[in-house]
Amino acid sequence: MAHHGGSDPESDPSTRLYNPYQDLNLQAPITNLYKLQTSPEFLFAEESLHQRRSWGENLTFYTGSAYLGGSVSGGVVGLFSALRNFEQGDTLKLKINRILNSSGHTGRSWGNRIGVVGLIYAGMESGVVAATDRDDVWSSVAAGLATGAVCRAARGVRSAAWLLGSKF
Amino acid sequence: MGTPETSREPCPDRILDDIGGAFGMGAVGGAAFHFLKGTYNSPSGARLIGGTQAVRMNAPRVGGSFAVWGGLFSTFDCTMVYIRQKEDPWNSIIAGAATGGFLSMRQGFGAASRSAMFGGVLLALIEGAGIMLNKFLSQPQMPIMIEEPAPNVAGMPGYPMGQLPNQAPVSVDNLRQGSPSPSPSSSSSAPSSNSSSSWFGGLFGGGKQQEGATAYMSIQLFRFHQIKPGVFTSLRKKQASRGICSMQS
């Protein structure tokens, strides 16, 4: 779309101005700026309302951020615990070894656990959104509850299921 | 090429996506594998319990290993893209070697270089397989009479002009004049050997046409780019984590 004379592009946040010759280093000055849409363009308004993150994007984003956040915070906690556990006669090599061991171990275990929680939450939210066809805060709440239920079942029902299983 | 939503994320967000995807693959695959292994190794009457216990002990660990490998690989890959300012399979190969070496760095230089070589070779195989698969999938439906006189030309389907069937005679002549690679023995093996020779020829100073073919193949490759599977390179024994969701210690 060529630049229309009436609307002010600065006040319209859904478009941006674009010069097609911007990378070419032409000698002549630019005469035309075009207004491009900043969001993806759809032919039908109903389709654009229906577009949301696919379940794969949901999965990788939540799992990735959960694992990264968990392992970074676990690494920091491990680093501080290693710094606290320094002994009197430690050489530099021993100190570095202690730091790497502790932060690596704590980071990995925290990252694993929080990553699994993120994975289950991502799967639940994609399932709830696909089932109810709504993508609002309540689907996130429902997904969080379901994730908590799975984790509780994994922890609490374990003892009961163990007793039941031993009877067979 | 697809619209911007269907291609991969730009490079910083790509790392997060790769970590998540690798963790998910590792956790789900590890869950399936360890469930079967745990069920098999349990006494009868406690098979299901044994299977789920094995999953809860091992699946997060496997997922974490995959996630570490995938995250490091993606970081090195994005670093190589930033340094070299281009996207091609060499970035992935060097990133694979760097990941393998980095993960084994604490075991000493010999172990690290062995792991680096292993990672680089693995990535080279994966990238080569991806290129072959891409080439096979994107072969245009050329008429039979084109393939007979010039078997070495039929092996360059990645060239953009060869995509339209009604332009095939023109592009064949152009390709025949420009392609310096020798014609292989059989036309069935022409695509694979010719593509590899033209790809390497394009890298080590081939003509403009081979550069175009290489660039086009790389763009196609990155359209169908998959998350790389992880490889266990750490040799240390890991303690089993206490459970899937137990947050309190």
Side-chain angles (χ1 to χ4, degrees):
Chain A
M1 281 191 304
H3 179 62
H4 299 292
S7 55
D8 181 7
E10 296 297 326
S11 65
D12 190 6
S14 69
T15 62
R16 63 182 177 94
L17 290 177
Y18 175 67
N19 173 22
Y21 304 106
Q22 61 194 8
D23 290 329
L24 289 178
N25 297 323
L26 294 177
Q27 303 301 327
I30 52 172
T31 55
N32 263 334
L33 283 181
Y34 292 88
K35 273 163 94 171
L36 292 186
Q37 296 289 329
T38 51
S39 56
E41 300 184 31
F42 293 99
L43 192 56
F44 302 108
E46 298 87 1
E47 186 187 355
S48 72
L49 288 174
H50 214 256
Q51 291 288 333
R52 57 176 72 106
R53 271 203 300 254
S54 72
W55 67 271
E57 287 180 22
N58 217 13
L59 190 87
T60 56
F61 177 71
Y62 281 124
T63 315
S65 39
Y67 184 83
L68 198 61
S71 52
V72 164
S73 47
V76 167
V77 165
L79 173 73
F80 282 127
S81 90
L83 288 175
R84 220 173 331 136
N85 287 341
F86 275 168
E87 288 177 11
Q88 197 59 5
D90 272 352
T91 61
L92 181 66
K93 213 170 179 179
L94 275 176
K95 286 182 185 171
I96 292 178
N97 202 33
R98 206 187 283 276
I99 288 176
L100 283 179
N101 280 348
S102 177
S103 62
H105 182 253
T106 319
R108 264 192 290 271
S109 53
W110 280 40
N112 285 348
R113 292 178 201 170
I114 303 184
V116 168
V117 169
L119 182 68
I120 297 178
Y121 174 77
M124 290 292 169
E125 190 184 2
S126 298
V128 164
V129 163
T132 63
D133 209 24
R134 289 166 34 173
D135 188 14
D136 51 7
V137 66
W138 295 113
S139 56
S140 306
V141 167
L145 287 175
T147 311
V150 166
C151 291
R152 287 285 152 159
R155 209 155 39 107
V157 178
R158 170 172 51 135
S159 52
W162 179 246
L163 285 172
L164 278 174
S166 66
K167 293 286 193 296
F168 289 150
Chain B
M1 272 223 281
T3 59
E5 301 104 81
T6 58
S7 60
R8 292 185 80 196
E9 298 275 333
C11 223
D13 307 325
R14 196 186 290 187
I15 302 176
L16 199 67
D17 274 351
D18 278 354
I19 293 178
F23 187 86
M25 265 193 344
V28 169
F33 175 75
H34 283 286
F35 181 74
L36 292 174
K37 195 170 168 202
T39 330
Y40 181 74
N41 287 337
S42 303
S44 72
R47 285 203 192 272
L48 204 64
I49 301 296
T52 52
Q53 272 205 332
V55 165
R56 291 184 59 227
M57 282 203 307
N58 292 313
R61 196 163 46 90
V62 173
S65 289
F66 272 56
V68 162
W69 212 95
L72 276 178
F73 170 78
S74 194
T75 312
F76 284 125
D77 195 28
C78 286
T79 312
M80 293 303 304
V81 165
Y82 181 71
I83 289 175
R84 299 177 70 222
Q85 290 296 318
K86 57 169 107 164
E87 299 234 10
D88 61 2
W90 283 110
N91 293 336
S92 301
I93 296 172
I94 297 173
T99 312
F102 185 81
L103 284 173
S104 300
M105 217 157 49
R106 289 190 75 187
Q107 271 80 29
F109 184 67
S113 48
R114 267 198 303 276
S115 288
M117 205 164 57
F118 182 70
V121 163
L122 181 74
L123 257 297
L125 290 175
I126 293 172
E127 291 289 331
I131 292 176
M132 306 264 184
L133 191 72
N134 238 352
K135 229 179 50 60
F136 178 71
L137 284 177
S138 64
Q139 259 180 2
Q141 303 301 319
M142 282 180 150
I144 311 291
M145 58 110 165
I146 302 298
E147 289 182 355
E148 280 176 10
N152 61 335
V153 173
M156 296 271 282
Y159 197 66
M161 279 182 65
Q163 291 292 328
L164 299 173
N166 56 356
Q167 287 187 8
V170 178
S171 66
V172 162
D173 286 335
N174 284 342
L175 291 174
R176 198 184 312 163
Q177 285 159 14
S179 168
S181 46
S183 58
S185 53
S186 65
S187 64
S188 62
S189 68
S192 51
S193 56
N194 201 36
S195 80
S196 56
S197 64
S198 66
W199 179 61
F200 281 117
L203 284 165
F204 296 120
K208 268 200 194 301
Q209 170 193 343
Q210 285 174 331
E211 273 295 317
T214 312
Y216 187 70
M217 279 199 293
S218 331
I219 293 169
Q220 288 286 9
L221 179 70
F222 274 89
R223 275 187 63 201
F224 296 101
H225 208 269
Q226 304 290 328
I227 299 174
K228 311 276 187 304
V231 170
F232 290 92
T233 55
S234 169
L235 299 175
R236 274 192 286 162
K237 284 206 176 98
K238 300 181 177 71
Q239 296 178 6
S241 60
R242 203 162 328 154
I244 297 181
C245 302
S246 58
M247 304 280 285
Q248 287 104 17
S249 51

